[in-house]
């Protein structure tokens, strides 16, 4: 059966280091495969969803910043998963679990609201107009994400591509029960590799905070 969504990540031949490969051997100790695995792990705690964690540095920042929260982090690249497991081990962090795959495969099923905060830091920009349909942030994304959010939940999205920011702004017209604000937020103050590159290349970063209208 074909999916309702196109891949939102760039297919690349992932170079993977020996240490990342070695770390992946422990993936099963950190892995969640379903919403019910997530609920079991989260229990009664507050919870964060970190989508597309890349090298995992931002996930570690979240784990430090929100010590009492449980974090579900998703990525499709094995190299990134290997990196994050290494960082979780070296920092003795046990509040993070990993979904190894396209986040939409996890959240497309409806379940009870479990997340307090969602982070999508620098989603792949898909710059060419003919590729915009691959962008992760679109009406379908909000439709499948919303049932998993608690009523006071906040979604943070940062992008360094003005055209992507404009598309996200326009989603307010579709997701009419959500309030979009822009500005600097302490929750996303960590400078990721992508934020650093954007600054070096002279691009402005737009930071969205999205919550349900009261
Ligand atoms: C530009 S990188 C940003 C990484 C990281 N958030 C950061 O700021 O350093 C985007 C990441 O999102 C991942 N990604 C894209 N679509 C995804 C999806 N549907 N589910 C999970 N991860 C995804 C990609 O593999 C890539 O590593």
């Amino acid at each position: 059966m074909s999916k309702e969504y196109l891949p939102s990540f760039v297919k690349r031949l992932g170079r993977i280091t020996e240490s990342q490969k070695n770390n992946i051997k422990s993936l099963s100790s950190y892995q969640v495969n379903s919403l019910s695995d997530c609920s079991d792990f989260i229990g009664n705690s507050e919870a964060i969803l970190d989508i597309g964690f890349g090298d995992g540095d931002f996930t570690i920042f979240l784990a430090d910043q929100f010590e009492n929260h449980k974090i579900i982090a998703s990525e499709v690249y094995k190299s990134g998963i290997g990196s994050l497991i290494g960082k979780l081990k070296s920092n003795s962090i046990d509040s993070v679990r990993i979904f190894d795959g396209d986040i939409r495969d996890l959240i497309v099923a409806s379940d009870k609201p479990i997340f307090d905060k969602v982070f999508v830091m620098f989603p792949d920009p898909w710059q060419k107009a003919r590729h915009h349909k691959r962008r992760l942030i679109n009406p379908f994304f909000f439709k499948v994400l919303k049932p998993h959010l608690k009523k006071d939940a906040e979604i943070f999205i940062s992008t360094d591509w003005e055209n992507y920011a404009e598309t996200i702004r326009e989603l307010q017209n579709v997701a009419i029960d959500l309030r979009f604000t822009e500005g600097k937020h302490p929750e996303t103050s960590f400078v990721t590799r992508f934020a650093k590159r954007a600054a070096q290349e002279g691009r402005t970063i737009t930071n969205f905070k999205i919550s349900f209208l009261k």
Side-chain angles (χ1 to χ4, degrees), residues 15-150:
R15 207 183 67 82
I16 182 153
T17 64
E18 280 311 308
S19 112
Q20 288 166 339
K21 264 191 212 159
N22 214 24
N23 289 330
I24 288 174
K25 291 184 191 149
S26 344
L27 175 59
S28 61
S29 313
Y30 293 95
Q31 197 167 21
V32 286
N33 291 310
S34 64
L35 288 168
S36 115
D37 286 354
C38 295
S39 290
D40 290 348
F41 174 62
I42 292 167
N44 294 323
S45 302
E46 290 187 70
I48 292 173
L49 179 61
D50 181 18
I51 300 176
F53 60 72
D55 59 13
D57 282 347
F58 185 75
T59 317
I60 299 297
F61 165 77
L62 287 176
D64 279 350
Q65 196 184 183
F66 297 103
E67 274 184 359
N68 301 323
H69 288 53
K70 297 283 172 67
I71 301 177
I72 305 294
S74 82
E75 180 51 69
V76 295
Y77 284 114
K78 292 283 185 249
S79 52
I81 292 173
S83 287
L84 177 58
I85 293 174
K87 289 166 189 171
L88 294 175
K89 283 183 177 174
S90 60
N91 289 284
S92 306
I93 294 173
D94 194 35
S95 58
V96 177
R97 290 293 176 270
I98 297 172
F99 180 69
D100 166 16
D102 186 324
I103 187 60
R104 294 165 299 182
D105 294 345
L106 179 75
I107 62 175
V108 77
S110 207
D111 201 55
K112 56 182 187 229
I114 48 173
F115 293 112
D116 296 272
K117 289 184 175 38
V118 177
F119 291 86
V120 192
M121 297 301 287
F122 303 98
D124 292 304
W126 294 105
Q127 295 159 46
K128 293 185 180 148
R130 69 189 153 91
H131 286 150
H132 286 180
K133 56 184 184 293
R134 295 187 176 275
R135 286 177 170 171
L136 176 66
I137 311 301
N138 59 21
F140 175 80
F141 174 75
F142 282 108
K143 184 178 122 193
V144 294
L145 180 63
K146 277 197 270 185
H148 306 282
L149 303 178
K150 294 190 194 160

Side-chain angles (χ1 to χ4, degrees), residues 166-183:
E166 193 47 44
T167 311
I168 295 170
R169 248 172 235 128
E170 283 167 9
L171 286 172
Q172 293 182 76
N173 302 325
V174 185
I176 50 170
D177 52 344
L178 296 177
R179 188 166 63 104
F180 290 56
T181 55
E182 291 176 39

Side-chain angles (χ1 to χ4, degrees), residues 159 161-170 182 206 208:
T159 180
W161 291 98
E162 183 45 39
N163 175 272
Y164 206 169
E166 193 47 44
T167 311
I168 295 170
R169 248 172 235 128
E170 283 167 9
E182 291 176 39
T206 307
F208 291 94

